[in-house]
Amino acid sequence: MSPRPARRRVAVVGTGAIVTGSHLPALRAHADRTELVAAVDVDPARLDAFRAEAGGGVAGYTSMGAMLDAVRPDLVLVGTPPSLHREQTVAALKAGAWVLCEKPLCLSLAEYDDIAAAEEASGAYASVIFQHRYGSGAAHARDLIASGELGAPLVAHCQTTWHRDAAYYAVPWRGRWATEGGGPTMGHGIHQYDLLLHLLGPWAEVRAMASRLVHDTESEDVSTALVRFRNGALATVVNSVLSPHEVSRVRVDCADATVELTHLYGHRNDDWTYTPARHVAAERAAAWRTPAADVPSSHTAQLGAVLDAWDTGTRPPGSGPGARDTLEFAAALYKAAFTGRPVLAGEIAPGDPFHSAMHGDHPDWAPEERA
C-alpha cells in the first residue's frame, strides 16, 4: 500500500466573497489533503477578517511577492479581479506553485501565452475554475455522450440568462475591457458554454451578435452565437445579464435521447434529465439514470480533481489546451459579433487584434482613449 501524499501547503490571493464563500469551504472539505498557510489581500481589514474566519495558523500578507518569498506554497488559489489573474498566476508559477484561478484565467489569448510559457519554464500547472464541469451529473452526461450511448449529438442549446443591475456595474472594475475582459460572454455565460464544450468536444465555427441594450458599460451586456462543432452538431449560445427570470440551461439533442440540465449557479444529479427517443427501449433508457453518488458541481469537486492530478503526477483538468479552448471560444464569439463574419477555430493567431484583446480594437467597441 503506497503512502498517503503529504498535505499540500496552500495560499489564497484575494479574500473577498468568492474565496470566503467557495474556496475556503473547498479547503475545509479537503483538510486531509491541504493546509491553508497564508492569505494575501491589499485591504488589511478584510485580510484580518478572513484570517479570523479561516482559523489559526494562517499568515497574512498585503503583497503576493512577499508571501511567495516567505511561504513558498505548493498551491495558490487566486480569487482577485480578472485584470490581476495573469500577473499573479505567472508569479506563482515562477515560484514553483501550482495555481487554481478564478475565471477568466486571463483576459486574452496573448495573456494565455504568457501563462503557458511560465508553465513550461516551471513545470507547475495553472488551472481555471470551471466548476460546472465537475460533479457526478456532468461526468455521467459526458460519458454517455462520448461513448455514443445516446447516439450522435445533433442540436444543442446553451443559455445563461441572468440579471445584473446598475449597482452591480458601479464596482469600478466591472464592465471595462481592461479590468474585466468583457461582459457576460467573459464573466457569466463562460461557465455554461465551457460545460457545453466539455460535453460536445471541439468547436469548428462561430457566428455571433452582441449589444449594449441597458447598461452603460464598455463591453456588451448581451451576446448570442451560432456554433458548429467538429462532430457536426449545431448549437445556440445566449449570454445575458438583462433577464429578470434567471436560469442556466444546457440541452443536447442526440439521435437517441435529449439531455437537459436546468439550474442557476450549480447543479446536482436531480438537475439533469434524459428523455429517450421513441424508438429506444425502456430497458436501455433506464441505464441512463444518474449515478447513485450525488456530487454537486462546486469548487470542492474541482479542487479534489486538481489534488488527484497532483498525486498522480499528471496535468490537472482545467489547464493547458482545455483552458485555452474555452478562452479561444470567447475570443471567436467577440470577433464574430464585432466583425459580422464567421470565425473558424484556430484562426485567431498572434497579430490578429482579437488575440491581444477581446474587443479587437474595433472602433465601436474598443475603450475610448482617456487624456
Side-chain angles (χ1 to χ4, degrees):
M1 191 172 182
S2 59
R4 186 173 189 83
R7 293 168 74 199
R8 310 297 178 184
R9 300 171 66 254
V10 181
V12 298
V13 180
T15 60
I18 193 65
V19 172
T20 302
S22 296
H23 288 281
L24 187 56
L27 289 168
R28 286 171 172 160
H30 294 288
D32 60 330
R33 307 174 72 186
T34 64
E35 178 187 7
L36 180 59
V37 295
V40 180
D41 203 299
V42 294
D43 183 334
R46 188 167 57 202
L47 176 62
D48 288 345
F50 175 82
R51 293 173 65 205
E53 182 171 352
V58 179
Y61 297 85
T62 56
S63 160
M64 182 177 178
M67 181 277 292
L68 291 172
D69 288 342
V71 177
R72 310 300 295 184
D74 300 311
L75 174 65
V76 174
L77 307 181
V78 176
T80 52
S83 62
L84 302 173
H85 290 179
R86 182 203 63 82
E87 176 185 355
Q88 292 172 339
T89 295
V90 168
L93 290 169
K94 287 182 175 179
W98 283 31
V99 178
L100 184 55
C101 179
E102 278 300 318
K103 56 79 189 164
L105 179 60
C106 51
L107 302 188
S108 68
L109 291 168
E111 288 195 353
Y112 177 85
D113 291 344
D114 293 340
I115 292 172
E119 277 193 337
E120 180 69 22
S122 68
Y125 297 112
S127 296
V128 58
I129 288 284
F130 283 136
Q131 72 270 25
H132 291 182
R133 287 189 177 207
Y134 303 87
S136 49
H140 184 64
R142 186 170 190 253
D143 287 346
L144 288 174
I145 293 171
S147 70
E149 172 57 28
L150 306 182
L154 303 172
V155 182
H157 307 278
C158 179
Q159 174 186 349
T160 304
T161 42
W162 294 355
H163 190 270
R164 299 293 183 265
D165 59 15
Y168 176 85
Y169 284 104
V171 175
W173 59 264
R174 289 183 176 144
R176 296 179 56 212
W177 295 108
T179 48
E180 192 172 21
T185 307
M186 276 287 274
H188 304 84
I190 195 169
H191 281 298
Q192 254 58 244
Y193 64 73
D194 174 75
L195 178 57
L196 183 72
L197 299 178
H198 186 59
L199 295 175
L200 291 185
W203 59 275
E205 178 184 346
V206 177
R207 300 167 187 252
M209 292 187 289
S211 189
R212 303 182 194 96
L213 297 181
V214 173
H215 295 292
D216 182 17
T217 57
E218 289 181 346
S219 52
E220 84 290 356
D221 55 16
V222 61
S223 69
T224 62
L226 302 176
V227 187
R228 186 187 307 277
F229 283 82
R230 195 180 297 170
N231 60 18
L234 300 181
T236 63
V237 176
V238 178
N239 309 297
S240 167
V241 287
L242 309 178
S243 307
H245 178 202
E246 294 188 291
V247 69
S248 305
R249 285 198 182 103
V250 173
R251 169 176 169 152
V252 180
D253 295 325
C254 299
D256 295 341
T258 292
V259 185
E260 294 179 272
L261 167 66
T262 303
H263 67 118
L264 186 54
Y265 298 137
H267 53 81
R268 307 184 72 102
N269 285 354
D270 286 348
D271 298 316
W272 295 82
T273 61
Y274 294 84
T275 303
R278 293 171 185 168
H279 64 268
V280 172
E283 296 80 12
R284 179 182 171 198
W288 301 339
R289 286 182 302 217
T290 51
D294 189 359
V295 180
S297 66
S298 64
H299 287 61
T300 298
Q302 184 165 358
L303 177 59
V306 169
L307 294 170
D308 289 345
W310 204 331
D311 291 346
T312 57
T314 57
R315 174 178 281 281
S319 68
R324 191 188 187 284
D325 287 348
T326 301
L327 192 67
E328 183 190 4
F329 181 86
L333 194 157
Y334 280 121
K335 182 175 181 178
F338 296 169
T339 64
R341 66 173 186 80
V343 176
L344 303 180
E347 80 169 58
I348 303 177
D352 187 313
F354 288 91
H355 184 267
S356 55
M358 292 292 170
H359 55 71
D361 289 326
H362 190 279
D364 296 334
W365 288 95
E368 295 181 1
E369 293 291 336
R370 288 176 171 81

